[in-house]
Amino acid sequence: MPTICKVWFEHHKDRTIGIGVGRPRISWRFGGYDTGWVQHCYEIEVTREGGEVETHSKYSDISSLVPWPSSPLASGEKCAIRVRAWNQGSSDRTQWSDTATVEAGLLSHEDWKCSLIEPEDPYVRGPPHRPVVFRGEIALQKVFTSARLYITAHGLYAARINGTLIGDHVLAPGWTSYNHRLVYQTFDVTDVMKVGCNTIDVDVGEGWYCGRIGFLGGRNNIYGQSIGLIAQLIIRNEDGTKICTGTDDSWEWAYGPIIASGLYDGEHYDARQKISSETVWCTSRCLPLTDNLAAPEGPPVRRVMTIPPKQVIKSPSGKTILDFGQNIVGWVQATIHGPAGANIIFQYAEVLEDGECCIRPLRYAKAQDRLTLSSEETLVWEPQFTYHGFRYVQIDGSLGPIQKDDFKGVVIHSDMERLGHFHCSNELLNQLHQNIVWSLRGNFVSIPTDCPQRDERLGWTGDINIFSDTANYLYDTAGMISQWLEDLALEQGEQGTGIVPLVIPNVIEGFEKDAHAIWGDVAIMLPWSLYIAYGDSSILTRQYSSMKAWLASIPRKADNLWNYTSTWKLGDWLDPAAPPEDVGNGRTDPTLVADCFLVHVTSLMAAISTIIGAQEDARQYAKSASELHTVFSKEYITENGRLVADSQTALALAICFSLFQSEDQLKHAARRLSSIVIQSSRFKIATGFAGTPYITHALSDTGNENLAYRMLLHRKRPSWLYPITMGATTMWERWDAILPDGKVNHEGEMTSFNHYALGAVGNWMHRVILGLRPLEPGWRRFKIAPVPGGDLQWAEGSHVTSYGECYVKWAVKPSPSANAYQRFTISVRIPPNTSADVHLPGKKEVEFVQSGTYTWETDFMPDTWPPRAEESRFVHADDEL
Ligand code: BGC
């Protein structure tokens, strides 16, 4: 009998306190792999706050996002849930799950009784804004049973009650489109409050709210002129009474030890200025709350792990540099002592050049923390309101010899549940996969960003659009990304044109006038990707107007294809053939790229409208998609199937988006693509942002898996493994961000060493090497169709779905029975309440299986490895594996 090993609410996988809806949907996951287990009926036991117990039973096979069965939760109301389920065709049932609790946040604006407080004018007016400490005193007379803190800030905050740090969040409240929605957090502070006088100290720094954001110097005060705090405490007394108190004119503020703190430039902490009895406190200014407070939909940013430095380096110029051995995102924690007034500067860098920290790729971000000591006392210190992307930290200043053990690299990211894994017999591929995972971690910091180190760290829409399928397999992105998509819809709405700004939150001016394919197509493709990964159709319903508005905003020619008039076209961004200073100017016509995506998203709209029940729209979009197919063909494809743009990207997009009109045309295109890959590209990558997610799929979908493997395993630039051979530990923005001579590629601006976009190939590793992919949204039914190839002896991986973990491991070895054949063995695990179609290599028949553990063996004839360019006398040294 399986167990119910996890119960959760909406997309919140951790402690559910302060949920923003009164009727949260419930999901449960099964543990164990009983054969053929299908849920037939479930029972949900709901224990309301007053102690009343309700049981709700239903004949249903649905175990994911089940509607709330009880009356809605009131603001602040807590409820306990247990679930059990019955197997189809038997009276066997699971044990009750462990109890999961859910507590509503403040569900209405009227529940907020406090004010916004700011430091009184004229003392604190940035930019830059020096962080301040707000202090409130709360006297409690009665014995209380619970205390909750609801808190957010104009800026970033860290709260302490009676000296105890509250919660484990960092960079709270996170970044949202603040003018529309400012997220607040809810904390259970019962254990840190006491009867008597309580002191709340809240540090607030400028953060995204009024700090400097954006490239070319950026902008300050984007959302407001001042940092500020909003905090409310609700205390329930034993006698049934309730106290509600919060930020008001009794709160004071003072400067604390943080002298400066900016997201890009870093933090300066002066321990001599710690809050003390000498501190001068000033009155705060009170302002009414605006109606934009919202509960979070995704997990907070947390310190997720710490890593020790691998070595301490002395650079050629005599600098002391910590090498963490891994490019990470977060900051350094130092245990330090030295004379009062001593200054220590931490300069963060992702790479070394000629043995020294290379900071040019950071552009206008200083990425420097500074610590001023107060006494000989040992201080354990880390910054509060900044973060950096780094592998190396140069330490300058008045310190004695550096002890490696006195430093830690603190890794932060939005604390999503890890869902997917991949391993295989090729260590370079394993490293590539690791690098993809690290770049995901480093760029899922409250919003999905492009990079974590330079003067951007922005929610570039195109980047997450091409990476989302990979991300959704590796981590549960549902909450965080749907929250970001909600902001996207709001900021798109603000434009009034339907055009999706290039970055969300939209903080760079002037980039929302022109529509851009791929970047704007995120409005349709990303909700779809989430729906397929997690099966939540409500995301389609919620984003539907945004999708429609985007499609309607695309400027068209008379034939309805793109009228891409913008002078700046992103196209197949970062095509390795594009000039370094003009990376949108690749070898594939940007309008053709845009049109491929146009046909694709129009077809998606037909499917989406059908799913959400908008039948008339569905008919219109299907008609429009079919007409676009025809005009695309007329414009770009010859009768035989030749595509006017003869590039990896163009062919890959046209194949993956089914743009050819006949099987013959498709075969012609597949032949042409393989010939380009073999003869012109010599198995190297020749795609940018647009083509990279599709090129290997286009090859394997048309019977050229061997070529896809050959490209994936190529080690010379441009290729996915070239950076690995150069020591990369995260994905690079540019295929050759470091040149073969070890120098940073200084020709262009785009040399981030932590950009997940080109890691979109992870999706091919999961879907084709492991062969795992959903057949129904949310993995209720899925496919296992591994394609062995390259020099791989085995591959293993898993994906934790809402139902349980899908697992696959395959291996090949020479077949004992037949010459040249290989014996393929596979073990799989299918979680309860799901089923899978299993395809074995070289076999036409499909095995249909329900939950359970299975193994199969078969012989198959592998492709010749490695494939070679036909005219071997022209083989280039780069062709060698
Ligand atoms: C970002 C990219 C982004 C691009 C588009 C860059 O600066 O880092 O990843 O998509 O701009 O213009």
Side-chain angles (χ1 to χ4, degrees):
M1 184 55 50
T3 56
I4 292 184
C5 59
K6 189 171 176 70
V7 176
W8 68 96
F9 304 93
E10 291 296 322
H11 294 292
H12 295 279
K13 292 281 180 60
D14 64 8
R15 303 184 291 272
T16 316
I17 177 166
I19 202 164
V21 288
R23 301 177 62 88
R25 293 167 300 169
I26 306 171
S27 304
W28 50 93
R29 179 183 289 157
F30 299 95
Y33 293 95
D34 292 56
T35 308
W37 205 93
V38 181
Q39 179 183 290
H40 172 55
C41 168
Y42 65 76
E43 190 165 69
I44 301 178
E45 183 192 82
V46 182
T47 308
R48 302 299 292 234
E49 207 162 84
E52 321 82 80
V53 179
E54 305 163 5
T55 43
H56 300 269
S57 310
K58 190 162 178 179
Y59 288 105
S60 167
D61 61 357
I62 297 176
S63 56
S64 173
L65 298 164
V66 168
W68 179 252
S70 183
S71 56
L73 295 170
S75 273
E77 188 185 344
K78 196 168 155 183
C79 197
I81 302 282
R82 296 197 301 169
V83 180
R84 61 182 174 179
W86 278 256
N87 188 11
Q88 201 169 48
S90 85
S91 55
D92 288 345
R93 58 164 194 231
T94 67
Q95 297 288 316
W96 281 110
S97 67
D98 285 346
T99 302
T101 55
V102 60
E103 182 177 313
L106 300 180
L107 300 179
S108 121
H109 183 56
E110 279 64 54
D111 296 323
W112 289 92
K113 310 286 182 213
C114 60
S115 304
L116 161 69
I117 56 169
E118 290 182 352
E120 182 83 75
D121 268 340
Y123 305 111
V124 187
R125 279 281 178 262
H129 304 264
R130 178 172 171 182
V132 302
V133 186
F134 288 100
R135 173 169 283 185
E137 307 275 352
I138 288 149
L140 297 179
Q141 264 98 44
K142 294 185 182 170
V143 177
F144 55 90
T145 52
S146 81
R148 294 288 182 270
L149 173 67
Y150 303 91
I151 182 166
T152 188
H154 283 176
L156 302 174
Y157 73 82
R160 284 178 177 71
I161 298 186
N162 300 326
T164 304
L165 183 68
I166 303 304
D168 52 5
H169 301 190
V170 295
L171 304 178
W175 194 8
T176 44
S177 172
Y178 293 136
N179 294 335
H180 295 283
R181 293 182 324 128
L182 174 61
V183 161
Y184 68 89
Q185 281 76 36
T186 306
F187 296 104
D188 181 350
V189 293
T190 317
D191 291 343
V192 292
M193 303 277 297
K194 56 179 196 261
V195 175
C197 182
N198 296 275
T199 305
I200 309 190
D201 282 341
V202 188
D203 295 345
V204 184
E206 59 185 12
W208 293 286
Y209 188 84
C210 48
R212 177 167 70 85
I213 309 290
F215 43 87
L216 296 174
R219 293 194 292 143
N220 296 82
N221 290 352
I222 292 175
Y223 299 98
Q225 302 282 324
S226 170
I227 53 183
L229 175 68
I230 297 166
Q232 177 164 300
L233 276 149
I234 297 187
I235 293 118
R236 288 163 197 259
N237 295 325
E238 212 176 36
D239 62 10
T241 57
K242 206 165 95 172
I243 297 170
C244 179
T245 176
T247 37
D248 59 18
D249 56 11
S250 72
W251 284 58
E252 295 179 315
W253 71 272
Y255 288 125
I258 308 179
I259 305 297
S261 189
L263 287 162
Y264 294 164
D265 292 337
E267 191 158 304
H268 180 191
Y269 182 93
D270 185 344
R272 296 169 305 182
Q273 302 200 35
K274 271 204 272 194
I275 297 289
S276 70
S277 51
E278 314 279 285
T279 303
V280 179
W281 291 93
C282 314
T283 46
S284 305
R285 194 157 82 104
C286 276
L287 295 155
L289 292 190
T290 45
D291 188 7
N292 61 345
L293 296 173
E297 287 172 47
V301 181
R302 291 198 176 100
R303 290 177 192 80
V304 176
M305 62 178 109
T306 57
I307 60 173
K310 214 166 134 194
Q311 54 176 334
V312 181
I313 304 172
K314 253 296 167 247
S315 79
S317 71
K319 302 284 186 198
T320 303
I321 299 172
L322 302 175
D323 171 8
F324 285 91
Q326 171 65 51
N327 198 22
I328 60 173
V329 172
W331 48 74
V332 81
Q333 187 195 74
T335 304
I336 227 160
H337 66 97
N343 267 307
I344 298 115
I345 298 170
F346 301 95
Q347 173 67 60
Y348 295 82
E350 292 189 298
V351 287
L352 299 181
E353 190 173 40
D354 300 326
E356 307 287 344
C357 280
C358 179
I359 54 170
R360 180 185 174 269
L362 307 179
R363 307 200 299 218
Y364 288 82
K366 284 203 192 94
Q368 237 181 44
D369 290 336
R370 178 188 287 255
L371 175 58
T372 307
L373 300 176
S374 62
S375 68
E376 292 291 346
E377 229 174 89
T378 301
L379 180 70
V380 180
W381 172 85
E382 59 183 64
Q384 276 197 123
F385 300 132
T386 188
Y387 74 97
H388 310 285
F390 65 101
R391 169 174 168 171
Y392 301 96
V393 183
Q394 177 179 309
I395 305 181
D396 293 310
S398 27
L399 257 192
I402 296 291
Q403 301 298 324
K404 199 157 76 92
D405 296 346
D406 289 341
F407 301 92
K408 281 181 192 153
V410 178
V411 177
I412 60 145
H413 57 83
S414 288
D415 195 8
M416 305 161 289
E417 185 187 16
R418 178 79 190 259
L419 301 180
H421 289 91
F422 171 94
H423 298 285
C424 70
S425 56
N426 183 315
E427 279 310 322
L428 293 177
L429 269 196
N430 288 338
Q431 184 65 46
L432 171 66
H433 195 264
Q434 274 285 95
N435 292 5
I436 294 169
V437 172
W438 273 106
S439 284
L440 185 160
R441 291 180 179 140
N443 283 296
F444 274 58
V445 178
S446 183
I447 61 158
T449 64
D450 56 335
C451 60
Q453 73 298 83
R454 68 178 179 223
D455 54 355
E456 294 205 54
R457 316 180 193 188
L458 304 172
W460 283 96
T461 51
D463 301 45
I464 186 59
N465 192 18
I466 62 175
F467 186 63
S468 61
D469 287 341
T470 303
N472 296 342
Y473 173 92
L474 293 170
Y475 277 87
D476 182 354
T477 71
M480 171 180 157
I481 297 291
S482 29
Q483 177 170 300
W484 181 79
L485 276 170
E486 206 175 339
D487 281 353
L488 179 144
L490 290 164
E491 298 203 335
Q492 175 194 16
E494 228 176 273
Q495 307 309 314
T497 55
I499 290 176
V500 178
L502 281 176
V503 301
I504 301 292
N506 181 19
V507 288
I508 51 172
E509 279 176 325
F511 285 84
E512 58 287 268
K513 287 194 311 291
D514 296 317
H516 289 279
I518 307 177
W519 278 253
D521 292 323
V522 75
I524 297 170
M525 293 173 70
L526 188 53
W528 179 253
S529 170
L530 286 185
Y531 168 65
I532 296 297
Y534 309 114
D536 184 359
S537 63
S538 75
I539 186 78
L540 301 179
T541 314
R542 191 168 85 178
Q543 296 298 128
Y544 192 60
S545 329
S546 150
M547 299 179 193
K548 286 183 76 168
W550 160 248
L551 203 52
S553 79
I554 295 174
R556 312 290 184 108
K557 294 188 300 192
D559 60 6
N560 231 4
L561 291 173
W562 265 83
N563 184 15
Y564 207 162
T565 51
S566 155
T567 45
W568 182 53
K569 297 184 177 65
L570 297 165
D572 189 19
W573 184 254
L574 282 165
D575 172 348
E581 69 297 340
D582 187 9
V583 291
N585 196 4
R587 72 196 97 193
T588 310
D589 170 15
T591 308
L592 178 142
V593 169
D595 284 330
C596 289
F597 278 87
L598 175 62
V599 185
H600 178 58
V601 295
T602 310
S603 310
L604 284 184
M605 282 304 280
I608 291 167
S609 316
T610 310
I611 291 162
I612 68 165
Q615 298 311 339
E616 181 48 31
D617 281 4
R619 224 179 40 76
Q620 287 297 335
Y621 286 126
K623 181 165 168 279
S624 169
S626 140
E627 286 164 4
L628 281 169
H629 263 102
T630 311
V631 288
F632 182 93
S633 201
K634 223 164 126 186
E635 180 76 20
Y636 298 116
I637 306 175
T638 67
E639 211 177 316
N640 287 347
R642 184 103 175 179
L643 197 60
V644 294
D646 202 23
S647 67
Q648 286 188 13
T649 291
L651 285 156
L653 293 176
I655 290 171
C656 289
F657 296 157
S658 310
L659 300 181
F660 294 99
Q661 302 277 332
S662 67
E663 270 304 303
D664 284 348
Q665 280 193 342
L666 178 63
K667 279 190 191 138
H668 188 284
R671 278 197 301 276
R672 185 63 205 143
L673 178 59
S674 63
S675 148
I676 288 177
V677 167
I678 298 169
Q679 300 302 339
S680 331
S681 314
R682 315 298 292 211
F683 310 110
K684 288 191 216 159
I685 194 78
T687 57
F689 273 31
T692 298
Y694 300 99
I695 179 66
T696 42
H697 284 292
L699 289 166
S700 55
D701 287 354
T702 50
N704 286 312
E705 299 86 351
N706 214 22
L707 296 182
Y709 267 108
R710 183 68 178 86
M711 282 184 87
L712 182 66
L713 294 174
H714 210 300
R715 295 188 216 170
K716 295 286 167 58
R717 70 169 169 154
S719 68
W720 281 286
L721 294 190
Y722 166 73
I724 313 289
T725 67
M726 299 304 289
T729 58
T730 38
M731 296 306 297
W732 296 349
E733 176 175 28
R734 194 183 268 283
W735 292 108
D736 56 356
I738 290 185
L739 300 169
D741 63 5
K743 297 266 191 211
V744 172
N745 189 341
H746 284 310
E747 281 193 298
E749 290 274 283
M750 306 291 166
T751 42
S752 148
F753 293 91
N754 203 349
H755 239 71
Y756 51 51
L758 302 178
V761 71
N763 186 38
W764 191 83
M765 297 164 80
H766 306 144
R767 287 185 168 220
V768 181
I769 300 183
L770 295 177
L772 281 174
R773 66 173 75 188
L775 285 175
E776 279 177 20
W779 294 75
R780 183 78 200 268
R781 208 177 120 233
F782 59 97
K783 186 167 168 179
I784 303 180
V787 178
D791 62 1
L792 267 55
Q793 302 301 305
W794 59 267
E796 176 186 32
S798 55
H799 176 70
V800 182
T801 69
S802 292
Y803 305 94
E805 187 181 56
C806 316
Y807 169 86
V808 58
K809 175 161 191 172
W810 61 256
V812 287
K813 55 179 186 224
S815 167
S817 54
N819 218 356
Y821 274 78
Q822 295 235 300
R823 170 131 302 198
F824 175 88
T825 51
I826 182 169
S827 332
V828 304
R829 296 202 287 262
I830 320 284
N833 216 20
T834 66
S835 62
D837 296 5
V838 183
H839 300 245
L840 301 180
K843 287 255 178 301
K844 282 217 162 51
E845 315 78 64
V846 180
E847 309 273 351
F848 299 102
V849 285
Q850 288 186 321
S851 68
T853 307
Y854 306 89
T855 55
W856 289 273
E857 275 193 28
T858 183
D859 281 349
F860 79 106
M861 174 62 81
D863 288 330
T864 309
W865 181 258
R868 293 191 185 279
E870 283 147 32
E871 297 171 53
S872 55
R873 67 202 156 98
F874 295 129
V875 166
H876 188 268
D878 273 9
D879 289 349
E880 296 308 316
L881 266 174

